[in-house]
Structures are given as C-alpha cells and as structure tokens.
C-alpha cells in the first residue's frame, strides 16, 4: 500500500513547480514511510510514497516500462491478489519481468490489454498511468472503492491524489466549502456521496470507474456495477460455492514479504478470516498466526447490552485464540487518549469522521504497526451478507430512507435556525438516486427488489464510510489492512443470492454461518452479530462534554456561525435522551459531541472558508 499523486498540465512547465510537488509528496509520507519517488517532465508529474510489502528492490515507483515508441509510467496504491495468474498469462504473450512485484504485473497488464485489464484484476487499487507518446493519463479505482482517489480539474490541468490534504497542498486548490459540502457534513456525515470530495471543485473517482485525461479533457467511464442475474445454484451448491470463495479470497490476501497479522474481535467475520489464515500458516509452515483485538479501560464494568451491541467480545476472543492457537495481543485504550486522538483522526481522514470509532481504530493501528506492516480484517461482510439489524427489522427495512440514519431531527436541531434549511431534501434526493439506479430482474417481487435496494444502499454508502475509515486510520500509521469480504467475486455472487438463502435459518449472515460449520466452533457460528467495540465508560462522555462546552464559549469561531449551542449543551447534559444513533450502530450522544469537535478541528486546521449563503 502506498500514497499516490500527480499533476498533468498542458500549459505550464511543471519542472518549475518542484516546491509545490514536494509539498504534495510530503502529505503522503505517513501512507508510504519506506520510500518516495517523483516522475517529472515539463507537462507531467507523478508522485509516489511507498509502504514496502512485496519485492523491495523491483517494486520501486514511479515505474516505467517501454513498448514500441511509448513509455508508460505508473503510480499505484493497492494490492493485486491474482498477480501470479496474470503474470503467467503475460509470460505466454512473450513479456518478461524483472521482479515479482504486483506493480510490474499491473503496468504490463495495462500495456497489453489497455483499459480492458481492469476486467481481469482481483484486488484493491487506485492507480494512474502516463503515456508519454500520446501525452495521456489513465486513472482507475477498484470495484469496491477500498483505495481512494481524489482529483481536481483546473483549466487544462488535472491534479490527483490519495488524500484531500494532498490536493490542498497545491495552491490551485483552495479549502473552500459551499452549501453542498456543508450539507454533506451535517446531514450525511460521516457518510459522503460517492464522487463528492466535499471541498469545492474536488471530486472522487467512484468505485468501479476509470478516467482518461488528455488535451481533449476528462472522460470518465464505469467498468463495473452490480448486475441482477438469476441465482442458479441450490442451497447445497450455494453453501459450497460461498465457502470456496471466502477461503480463496482469504488465502490470496495472505501474500506478503513483510510481517502479517489478523484483527480478531471474536465475531463471525474476523473469526472466519483468522481461522482460515491460521490453517494456511500451519500448512505452509509459516509459524503461528498473530492476532489483535481492541478494548477500553474498565469497559466490561460499564458495558450495557443493546439491539446494536448485544454482548461483549472478550470470551469469544479467548475461545478463538484457543481454537486456532494464535499469538494474541490485546490493545487496551485509555479514554483520555481516545478523546485526544479525535484530533489526529480528523487530520488522517481530512474530514470529520466516525468520532471515537475512528480515533480508537487509529490508536489500535498505531499499536499493531509496532510489529506488523500488514493486517487482514473482517470489514464488509455485514453489508454483503445482511448482517445489520436494519436488514431484519421489517419496520426499518421498508422505511423510505437511509436505515443507518433514519431520523434527521437531531441533525437539524444542532444547527442554527435558517442554516441548511433544505438539508432533508438533499438527503432525500441522494437516497432516491441510489434506489433508482439499482439493477433488478423483471420478475423481482417487491420484497426481492427491496433487498437489492438495501444491498446497494449498504455497499454504496455505509460500506464506503467504513472503508474510508479503515484506509485513513490504518495508512496514517503506515499499516496496510486487507478486507477479503470485499472480493468482487463474493459481492457479485451475494447480490443475486435470494434472501431466503442469504438469511438461512432466519439468521443474519445465515449462509456463511452454514458454510463455516465444521470450520469454526459452534459458539462462534451461533453468536449474535456485534459491531466494532466502542467505549461505554462515562469518563469519555465527561471529557468530550467538557471539550464541547469550552468550544461553545470560544468567541469568533466559524462553527459558532452554524451551531445551536443550546442543543449541543443539552446533549452533553442529558445524553440518555439521545439513544437513536446519529449514524450506524455506535454513534450516540458521546459520539455526536465528538463529531462536533471533529468538525471544529477540520474547519480550523484545514483553514476552511465557507462560500455563499446557507
């Protein structure tokens, strides 16, 4: 994993802009702490910061390969999980390779197949290739959107990068936010419309898209989307196929030339990955697998079961550690550190995020990075296989709104009267656009159509928020985190799987529970879904409440032009009144306050200016 950036300008001499290019590169240093490189010509610049995972000597970027009269130069952030399959095919076409890096295979694939190479890739990626003969840039992003890629068009130039801060290091891009951007933050946040970079003029290449930029301008095309097809397999065949797909996806993602570990929460998804990985380690004589879990000081003392978090993780983690014989590490986070890390989490994400759900992951990854460079995690199974409560509660299921943020009342109430008055209409339109774009079969009944809509809503919105979180918090620490359940083969198969099979035996993720019988212990298979652990300690609420109250008394802040501090103070003083999550399953009163703190940090640290009337 790495950080990439670039600047193509057909009018300016970029060799005279080296000081700006260096600043852009510096913003990516945490993503790629091991090496850096710049390709710089008069009208083209490509920037790379490297986190070395595979082939240290022969995977150096920017990488250039010549074919005919053309030179192709790539910068690439990601991992290919079918590198050897592609290499074998390309060798048959007469190509040769200097090393065993996936970068060289990816660039060679593009040279041979052009944009059609994307159909053959299995992996997570954002990359850009410059063709010096045609003076043309090609950019692409993986199907699921695991790896980020932002860009900005300025006259006859394009500036792109892995993170927003990279673009903002270029003076052509100003940290200006308009009404649309503010509505994204206050009414959709920490979610974000796919393709929307929040900062005025900044866009994001969407999952499954590629772009071509040359002297004719920018063209964007979609090369992948969820297609509705008849599910041909019976239950037995489906169980067999999903088992094989999951095992294959995990095995493919264990390739690394540096130390690798697994996140283990004791839940179904991380347990599946850890079990398969441990078995593979034994088979390959790679020693014992290392696993990591996270918790908080005195959290067991204050834990309270809810529909969103029915039980704590500790005993299930111990059960799995004994089952697979892993070397386990428990990271215990302090509440003061958790609150203080809200600041770094905002800098890492370049936007307000999931409050302490972000900052805890940031601190967790910081500890993991002390001994490991690569981790494998269980994200995305809930979106793909219907693990969330809103898939199973029919009252929520058919509500005509985003199920993880059903009420906008609290969002409206924290804003001053007259600020973003049409926020609800904006959210409504985003929701409607999503469900209108869902591919369905002509014979799909109302329930089947709704389940496809829910699948698309979760993949395109909720999962993107979690992938943003995972990428920024991990890469801020120079840690690569892989997500096997995002394998596009699994997602495509699950999209067309009937709900009666997906929710087999009336259980969330019923099909993978069944598929893992005989592989996982029954106690884990039968465990109710429990999300990423959050703190339940009143100390944390006290800390963020005090910080918010101090902020309310701070004169002249931009935030005070927007916020109704009476409502915010009421949340701090009466948190029990705000039990419905702000976003997802975990963001209740303490996290709402923390989110407000993150908004303020973002406005101040990124020197954001608000444009126009609200």
């Amino acid at each position: 994993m790495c950080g990439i950036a670039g600047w193509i300008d057909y009018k300016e001499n970029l060799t005279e802009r080296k000081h700006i290019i260096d600043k852009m590169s510096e913003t990516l240093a945490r993503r790629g702490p091991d090496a850096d490189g710049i390709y710089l010509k008069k009208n083209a610049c490509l920037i790379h910061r490297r986190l070395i995972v595979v082939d240290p000597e022969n995977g150096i970027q920017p990488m250039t390969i010549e074919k005919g009269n053309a030179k192709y130069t790539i910068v690439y952030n990601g991992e290919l999980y079918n590198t050897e399959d592609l290499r074998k095919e390309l060798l048959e076409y007469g190509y040769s390779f200097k090393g065993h890096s996936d970068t060289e295979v990816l660039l060679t694939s593009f040279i041979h197949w052009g944009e059609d190479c994307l159909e053959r890739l299995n992996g997570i990626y954002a990359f850009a290739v410059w063709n010096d003969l045609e003076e043309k840039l090609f950019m692409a992003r993986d199907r699921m959107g695991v790896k980020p890629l932002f860009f900005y068009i300025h006259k006859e130039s394009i500036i792109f990068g892995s993170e927003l801060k990279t673009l903002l290091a270029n003076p052509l891009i100003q940290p200006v936010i308009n009404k649309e951007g503010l509505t994204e933050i206050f009414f959709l946040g920490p979610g974000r419309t796919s393709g929307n970079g929040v900062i005025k003029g900044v866009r994001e290449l969407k999952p499954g898209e590629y772009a071509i930029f040359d002297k004719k301008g920018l063209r964007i095309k979609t090369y992948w989307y969820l297609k509705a097809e008849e599910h041909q397999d019976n239950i037995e065949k489906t169980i067999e196929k999903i088992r094989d797909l999951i095992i294959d996806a995990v095995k493919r993602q264990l390739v690394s030339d540096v130390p690798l570990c697994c996140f283990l929460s004791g839940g179904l998804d991380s347990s599946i990955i850890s079990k398969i990985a441990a078995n593979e380690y034994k088979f390959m004589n790679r020693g014992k697998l290392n696993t990591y879990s996270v918790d908080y000081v005195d959290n067991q003392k204050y834990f309270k079961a809810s529909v969103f978090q029915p039980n704590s993780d500790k005993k299930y983690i111990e059960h799995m550690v004994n089952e697979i014989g892993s070397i386990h590490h428990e990271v215990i986070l302090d509440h003061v550190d958790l609150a203080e890390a809200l600041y770094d989490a905002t800098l890492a994400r370049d936007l307000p995020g999931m409050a302490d759900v972000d900052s805890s992951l940031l601190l967790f990854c910081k500890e993991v990075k002390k001994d490991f460079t690569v981790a494998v995690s269980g994200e995305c199974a809930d979106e793909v296989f219907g693990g969330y409560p809103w898939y199973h509660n029919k009252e929520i299921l058919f509500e005509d709104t985003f199920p993880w943020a059903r009420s906008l009342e609290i969002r409206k109430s924290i804003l001053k009267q007259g600020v973003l008055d049409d926020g609800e209409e904006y959210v409504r339109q985003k929701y409607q656009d999503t469900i209108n774009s869902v591919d369905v079969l002509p014979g799909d009944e109302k329930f089947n159509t709704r389940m496809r809509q829910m699948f698309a809503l979760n993949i395109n919105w909720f999962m993107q928020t979690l992938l943003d979180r995972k990428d920024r918090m991990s890469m801020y620490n120079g840690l690569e985190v892989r997500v096997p359940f995002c394998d596009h083969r699994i997602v495509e198969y699950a999209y067309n799987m009937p709900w009666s099979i997906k929710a087999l035996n009336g259980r969330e993720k019923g099909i993978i529970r069944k598929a893992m019988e005989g592989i996982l212990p029954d106690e884990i298979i039968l465990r109710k879904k429990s999300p990423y652990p959050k703190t339940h300690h009143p100390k944390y609420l006290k800390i963020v409440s005090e910080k918010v109250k101090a902020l309310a008394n701070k004169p002249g802040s931009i935030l005070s032009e927007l916020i109704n501090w009476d409502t915010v103070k009421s949340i701090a003083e009466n948190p029990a009144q705000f039990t419905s999550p702000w976003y997802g399953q975990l963001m209740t009163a303490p996290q709402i306050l923390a989110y407000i703190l993150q908004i303020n940090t973002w406005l101040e640290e990124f020197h954001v200016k608000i444009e126009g009337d609200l």
Side-chain angles (χ1 to χ4, degrees):
M1 298 293 181
C2 308
I4 66 171
W7 186 2
I8 309 299
D9 195 316
Y10 295 109
K11 294 294 185 181
E12 297 293 328
N13 183 353
L14 296 183
T15 62
E16 298 174 356
R17 301 288 187 269
K18 185 65 164 53
H19 62 292
I20 297 174
I21 291 164
D22 287 341
K23 286 182 180 178
M24 291 174 66
S25 177
E26 287 168 11
T27 65
L28 295 168
R30 298 189 73 111
R31 291 186 74 92
D34 299 330
D36 63 277
I38 294 174
Y39 169 93
L40 181 58
K41 301 295 181 184
K42 181 180 178 181
N43 300 122
C45 170
L46 299 179
I47 301 166
H48 191 261
R49 286 278 183 161
R50 188 180 184 197
L51 177 67
I52 296 176
V53 174
V54 173
D55 199 353
E57 294 181 4
N58 297 298
I60 296 171
Q61 298 185 51
M63 179 182 289
T64 300
I65 295 178
E66 295 186 37
K67 175 133 189 234
N69 296 323
K71 291 182 180 179
Y72 300 85
T73 303
I74 189 171
V75 285
Y76 158 53
N77 167 32
E79 293 288 341
L80 290 187
Y81 303 128
N82 63 336
T83 299
E84 296 312 312
D85 299 335
L86 293 170
R87 190 195 312 277
K88 182 179 178 181
E89 192 171 357
L90 290 164
L91 286 169
E92 292 174 354
Y93 283 110
Y95 292 92
S96 60
F97 297 91
K98 294 179 180 179
H100 66 276
S101 76
D102 56 342
T103 306
E104 189 178 11
V105 170
L106 175 57
L107 181 53
T108 306
S109 296
F110 177 77
I111 291 170
H112 183 71
W113 287 299
E115 63 198 44
D116 291 340
C117 75
L118 298 170
E119 302 291 341
R120 300 170 178 266
L121 304 182
N122 181 325
I124 54 178
Y125 48 83
F127 68 92
V129 179
W130 173 250
N131 181 327
D132 74 332
L133 181 65
E134 298 181 1
E135 294 188 302
K136 180 167 66 177
L137 181 75
F138 178 88
M139 302 189 301
R141 192 169 176 219
D142 66 74
R143 297 169 179 86
M144 295 296 110
V146 179
K147 293 287 101 183
L149 189 58
F150 297 93
F151 67 92
Y152 182 90
I153 301 294
H154 177 76
K155 297 181 180 177
E156 295 183 60
S157 69
I158 186 171
I159 302 161
F160 66 89
S162 296
E163 298 188 355
L164 288 169
K165 64 172 67 71
T166 308
L167 273 64
L168 291 172
N170 191 309
L172 291 175
I173 305 170
Q174 295 298 307
V176 174
I177 186 170
N178 56 21
K179 185 176 181 179
E180 179 184 11
L182 280 173
T183 307
E184 289 276 330
I185 287 172
F186 281 100
F187 279 86
L188 289 171
R192 178 166 52 84
T193 303
S194 183
N196 192 312
V198 180
I199 298 292
K200 183 182 177 183
V202 174
R203 296 159 65 188
E204 180 185 34
L205 203 61
K206 295 178 183 178
E209 285 187 342
Y210 71 83
I212 296 170
F213 182 79
D214 56 20
K215 291 179 181 178
K216 297 177 183 177
L218 178 73
R219 283 94 68 202
I220 296 177
K221 294 185 179 180
T222 299
Y223 69 90
W224 183 89
Y225 64 93
L226 287 168
K227 298 177 183 177
E229 297 175 352
E230 290 286 352
H231 186 77
Q232 301 291 341
D233 299 332
N234 60 24
I235 291 179
E236 289 73 23
K237 181 65 176 177
T238 302
I239 292 167
E240 178 186 350
K241 190 166 184 178
I242 206 65
R243 181 193 300 118
D244 291 345
L245 281 171
I246 292 171
I247 291 173
D248 183 66
V250 175
K251 286 183 177 181
R252 286 178 180 273
Q253 299 192 25
L254 297 177
V255 176
S256 175
D257 290 345
V258 294
L260 177 147
C261 66
C262 288
F263 292 172
L264 176 61
S265 69
L268 179 67
D269 313 327
S270 66
S271 296
I272 289 170
I273 290 169
S274 297
K275 175 66 173 179
I276 295 168
N279 287 349
E280 186 70 2
Y281 266 46
K282 290 175 186 176
F283 179 75
M284 300 295 292
N285 292 316
R286 292 175 63 176
K288 288 190 174 184
L289 179 72
N290 280 262
T291 53
Y292 278 80
S293 64
V294 64
D295 207 342
Y296 308 87
V297 173
D298 292 334
N299 216 33
Q300 297 299 313
K301 187 187 299 184
Y302 296 98
F303 175 82
K304 291 181 180 179
S306 70
V307 65
F308 296 112
Q309 201 159 14
N311 44 46
S312 61
D313 294 332
K314 196 171 183 65
K315 73 171 185 176
Y316 298 97
I317 293 170
E318 292 173 352
H319 194 91
M320 277 305 301
V321 169
N322 291 332
E323 169 73 17
I324 65 178
S326 67
I327 301 170
H328 189 68
H329 314 261
E330 185 181 34
V331 177
I332 305 294
L333 302 180
D334 178 77
H335 302 93
V336 174
D337 295 339
L338 190 65
E340 293 301 319
L342 290 168
Y343 175 86
D344 278 349
T346 309
L347 300 187
R349 196 160 185 156
D350 296 336
L351 289 167
M354 295 187 77
D356 50 88
V357 185
D358 275 11
S359 62
S360 62
L361 181 60
L362 184 143
L363 294 173
F364 179 49
C365 289
K366 182 179 180 180
E367 290 301 309
V368 175
K369 174 63 178 178
K370 290 177 180 178
D371 295 302
F372 292 89
T373 304
V374 180
V376 188
S377 179
E379 255 85 4
C380 306
D382 288 310
E383 290 83 2
V384 175
F385 290 103
Y388 294 118
W390 48 75
Y391 274 103
H392 300 268
N393 183 326
K394 289 192 176 180
E395 290 182 9
I396 300 176
L397 178 62
F398 283 98
E399 281 188 355
D400 206 18
T401 186
F402 291 115
W404 49 83
R406 294 155 59 205
S407 174
L408 298 177
E409 288 304 313
I410 182 63
R411 293 175 180 265
K412 290 191 298 181
S413 70
I414 68 167
L415 291 168
K416 284 185 175 179
Q417 191 171 4
V419 174
L420 304 177
D421 280 343
D422 53 358
E424 287 179 291
E425 289 77 9
Y426 184 88
V427 174
R428 175 68 187 170
Q429 188 61 54
K430 296 298 180 182
Y431 168 83
Q432 202 64 47
D433 290 345
T434 304
I435 63 171
N436 288 345
S437 67
V438 174
D439 195 40
V440 300
L441 293 174
D444 279 344
E445 297 176 353
K446 179 182 177 182
F447 181 79
N448 293 331
T449 297
R450 185 55 180 168
M451 296 316 297
R452 289 192 189 276
Q453 291 173 349
M454 285 291 285
F455 193 103
L457 287 166
N458 278 270
I459 293 291
N460 296 337
W461 286 89
F462 198 74
M463 192 175 85
Q464 294 305 312
T465 307
L466 297 184
L467 289 175
D468 270 357
R469 164 182 173 259
K470 181 69 75 178
D471 176 82
R472 305 310 192 280
M473 300 308 119
S474 60
M475 294 305 292
Y476 189 75
N477 291 288
L479 178 72
E480 173 186 323
V481 179
R482 300 172 179 175
V483 280
F485 284 106
C486 267
D487 187 302
H488 71 276
R489 299 169 302 164
I490 296 175
V491 175
E492 289 170 349
Y493 191 64
Y495 180 62
N496 290 300
M497 193 184 296
W499 182 249
S500 59
I501 296 179
K502 191 180 294 185
L504 199 62
N505 300 321
R507 289 298 309 273
E508 72 281 4
K509 296 180 287 192
I511 186 64
I512 55 175
R513 293 178 190 276
K514 185 67 177 179
M516 291 299 139
E517 286 183 358
I519 297 175
L520 285 184
D522 289 346
E523 188 175 5
I524 303 298
I525 289 175
L526 296 174
R527 184 190 180 190
K528 287 187 177 180
K529 184 236 174 335
S530 189
Y532 179 87
K534 74 169 183 177
T535 179
H536 297 270
H537 202 298
K539 183 178 179 181
Y540 176 75
L541 174 61
K542 182 179 180 183
I543 294 170
V544 293
S545 296
E546 290 173 353
K547 286 179 176 289
V548 163
K549 288 176 182 177
L551 192 60
N553 295 324
K554 183 179 178 181
S557 69
I558 297 178
L559 191 61
S560 290
E561 298 176 17
L562 308 170
I563 290 291
N564 179 343
W565 288 115
D566 289 338
T567 300
V568 175
K569 289 176 182 177
S570 177
I571 296 172
E573 292 167 1
N574 305 287
Q577 294 182 13
F578 301 90
T579 55
S580 180
W582 167 277
Y583 189 91
Q585 305 171 84
L586 302 177
M587 293 184 70
T588 51
Q591 288 73 37
I592 296 171
L593 299 174
Y595 186 70
I596 292 168
L597 292 173
Q598 287 195 306
I599 294 174
N600 185 70
T601 295
W602 179 69
L603 290 170
E604 291 187 347
E605 295 301 320
F606 287 83
H607 308 290
V608 177
K609 298 172 184 175
I610 298 174
E611 177 188 78
D613 297 327
L614 304 179

